[in-house]
Amino acid sequence: MESFPEIISVDDHTVEPAGVWRDRLPSRYRDTGPHVVRAPVKEMTFVGGKFAPRMGEPGDDGPIADWWVYEDLRRPLTRLDTAVGYSRDEVRLEGITYQQMRPGSYSVPERLADMDINHVRSALCFPTFPRFCGQTFTEAKDRDLALLCLRAYNDWMVEEWCGPQARGRLIPLTLIPLWDAELAAREVRRNAERGVRAVCFSEIPPRLGLPSIHSDAWDPFLGACDETGTVIAMHIGSSSQMPSTSSDAPPAVGSTITFANCCYSMVDWLMSGKFERFPNLRIMYAEGQIGWMPYVLERADVVWEENRGWGGVADKVLRPPSELFAEHVYGCFFDDAFGLRNLDAIGVGSVLYETDYPHSDSTWPKSKEVGESQMGHLPQDVVERIVCGNAIELLGLTHNGLWPGAAR
């Protein structure tokens, strides 16, 4: 390998600064919208794929954490939100404060410095408090306030996190009001006018109590993405249910099979007929890895070829699923040597690289070294496509991997 190109990470994360909503909501909502309080942790468990924290009262015993408070929700910052800078053995399920995390988690200058350490040119960042596709606001009781909160987050994402101080190196990823597809379409278009080319969505919407992708309910949203070239980004856990096998399974079980929801979701999309109806749609699976894809595509093609007559897809899926995959679907990985050894069965143009900063799975600060070790057998031009070229094309970046909207 001649040289390892600078990375464009399509899956990093931001921990929102404490003032994101208080600084942007109308004054009458500043105490009822999301805000941070410091309080003890009374209890915190993560079993069977479910995270269950309990906040103590001031004066109670217990470790102190910074908690997001919003309606009935009490959600602490945890070490799993931001684990970079700690050894693997030090990363535990525990509440933390902003002072106990690496500043690059929430501060743009420090984030850029940590990207420099990690050979990262630019990065697309998913949210933390809103959750991976804005479930926090979807579950809220006051939908008017929820919409204001969601738009405030998008404004912060575009204007500050990805604003002038980021110098084009942070790529905006916005949210939609999942409870209303027409409103979602408007939000996609509002942000597209600002140069945004990626939006969060749920990998399995029915698990959030929403219509499936097989229905027509999402068509206004899908139409807006199709028209504006907005990529639909789905992160593992964006269905609010991490894969698990039982209610008492330890987190290690779910962590091993995190790709499972992406697998289910991808088959949903390939068999939905949506790619036929919206030919410009592009979807990506953040942190889903890629090693599982070849067999699923092989099986999907067999089912489509042999069983489409009774399988309910003959009149809407007009080409083999593997062909639709090659044109519309992107798998994202940070550590997947097996997938890279089977790249010919996935397709060079369907793969994107990520670093997952600042989560516990992140390869920071050695994402370059991991990539070199796993891609050493690949030609230089293939490495460049995986590490940066595909992302540049997909997200509408400049030739050197920057977000052009930052210059507006």
Side-chain angles (χ1 to χ4, degrees):
M1 188 181 300
E2 298 171 15
S3 62
F4 198 77
E6 281 194 299
I7 298 163
I8 298 178
S9 175
V10 296
D11 172 31
D12 284 2
H13 299 264
T14 177
V15 177
E16 299 81 17
V20 166
W21 287 277
R22 277 195 163 175
D23 292 347
R24 285 164 188 77
L25 290 175
S27 58
R28 67 183 183 279
Y29 289 124
R30 284 176 187 160
D31 292 329
T32 54
H35 59 281
V36 173
V37 301
R38 187 159 290 183
V41 177
K42 190 169 184 178
E43 183 181 18
M44 190 184 306
T45 60
F46 188 18
V47 181
K50 295 183 178 180
F51 177 48
R54 291 176 60 198
M55 187 172 79
E57 299 294 332
D60 287 350
D61 292 333
I64 299 298
D66 283 336
W67 294 73
W68 281 104
V69 175
Y70 172 51
E71 293 191 339
D72 296 331
L73 179 64
R74 304 293 183 268
R75 201 280 194 194
L77 298 176
T78 76
R79 178 57 63 212
L80 301 185
D81 293 328
T82 171
V84 291
Y86 289 78
S87 73
R88 299 294 187 184
D89 290 338
E90 292 178 305
V91 178
R92 297 179 174 85
L93 182 63
E94 60 182 350
I96 62 171
T97 66
Y98 280 96
Q99 287 69 38
Q100 293 172 298
M101 67 176 72
R102 194 171 180 88
S105 303
Y106 58 86
S107 170
V108 171
E110 283 82 0
R111 173 60 66 92
L112 299 185
D114 279 354
M115 290 164 62
D116 290 339
I117 292 171
N118 201 32
H119 198 66
V120 173
R121 178 60 168 167
S122 53
L124 183 81
C125 297
F126 284 83
T128 297
F129 171 71
R131 313 216 306 273
F132 294 144
C133 66
Q135 301 103 299
T136 296
F137 302 126
T138 301
E139 296 166 358
K141 297 173 184 176
D142 185 338
R143 287 285 170 79
D144 292 335
L145 175 56
L147 184 59
L148 290 174
C149 289
L150 184 145
R151 287 176 173 165
Y153 174 86
N154 289 343
D155 290 345
W156 170 80
M157 167 62 63
V158 174
E159 298 166 7
E160 292 200 32
W161 184 252
C162 301
Q165 65 174 339
R167 305 192 303 278
R169 298 184 62 189
L170 295 172
I171 306 161
L173 174 64
T174 53
L175 302 173
I176 55 166
L178 290 165
W179 60 90
D180 188 317
E182 293 286 354
L183 285 177
R186 289 179 211 165
E187 191 63 14
V188 167
R189 292 188 175 96
R190 182 176 84 95
N191 291 308
E193 290 176 358
R194 303 194 277 185
V196 177
R197 290 295 178 267
V199 64
C200 299
F201 192 64
S202 174
E203 58 200 352
I204 309 176
R207 292 186 180 175
L208 304 180
L210 299 169
S212 82
I213 200 65
H214 299 287
S215 75
D216 294 334
W218 296 107
D219 285 3
F221 163 65
L222 300 181
C225 292
D226 181 76
E227 293 164 16
T228 61
T230 299
V231 180
I232 297 174
M234 292 171 281
H235 195 285
I236 60 167
S238 56
S239 60
S240 294
Q241 294 183 32
M242 294 299 289
S244 191
T245 56
S246 65
S247 61
D248 58 350
V253 172
S255 186
T256 302
I257 57 174
T258 52
F259 70 90
N261 283 351
C262 298
C263 174
Y264 302 155
S265 175
M266 188 181 81
V267 175
D268 252 355
W269 280 87
L270 292 176
M271 298 298 188
S272 70
K274 298 303 182 185
F275 295 139
E276 306 279 3
R277 295 184 56 201
F278 302 100
N280 296 317
L281 275 184
R282 301 293 183 271
I283 66 174
M284 55 172 271
Y285 288 102
E287 209 171 325
Q289 312 300 346
I290 59 174
W292 53 273
M293 287 180 165
Y295 171 71
V296 174
L297 291 172
E298 177 184 85
R299 176 59 183 166
D301 277 358
V302 169
V303 170
W304 179 82
E305 182 67 37
E306 298 184 358
N307 301 327
R308 64 180 180 268
W310 63 265
V313 297
D315 61 342
K316 59 182 179 180
V317 182
L318 307 181
R319 289 187 292 151
S322 60
E323 289 186 15
L324 297 173
F325 171 89
E327 295 176 9
H328 299 276
V329 183
Y330 293 79
C332 312
F333 77 99
F334 56 81
D335 184 4
D336 194 336
F338 181 85
L340 289 166
R341 289 197 300 271
N342 293 277
L343 190 61
D344 59 335
I346 302 168
V348 173
S350 299
V351 176
L352 304 167
Y353 198 40
E354 58 186 40
T355 77
D356 197 30
Y357 180 106
H359 283 183
S360 59
D361 269 335
S362 178
T363 51
W364 186 92
K366 297 182 178 181
S367 300
K368 175 186 176 184
E369 290 79 359
V370 170
E372 287 175 328
S373 68
Q374 294 190 353
M375 300 184 213
H377 65 291
L378 298 173
Q380 182 72 21
D381 64 320
V382 171
V383 174
E384 289 179 355
R385 286 192 67 183
I386 292 171
V387 175
C388 57
N390 289 338
I392 288 173
E393 180 180 344
L394 179 66
L395 298 171
L397 307 180
T398 64
H399 72 280
N400 55 349
L402 300 178
W403 178 54
R408 295 189 179 192

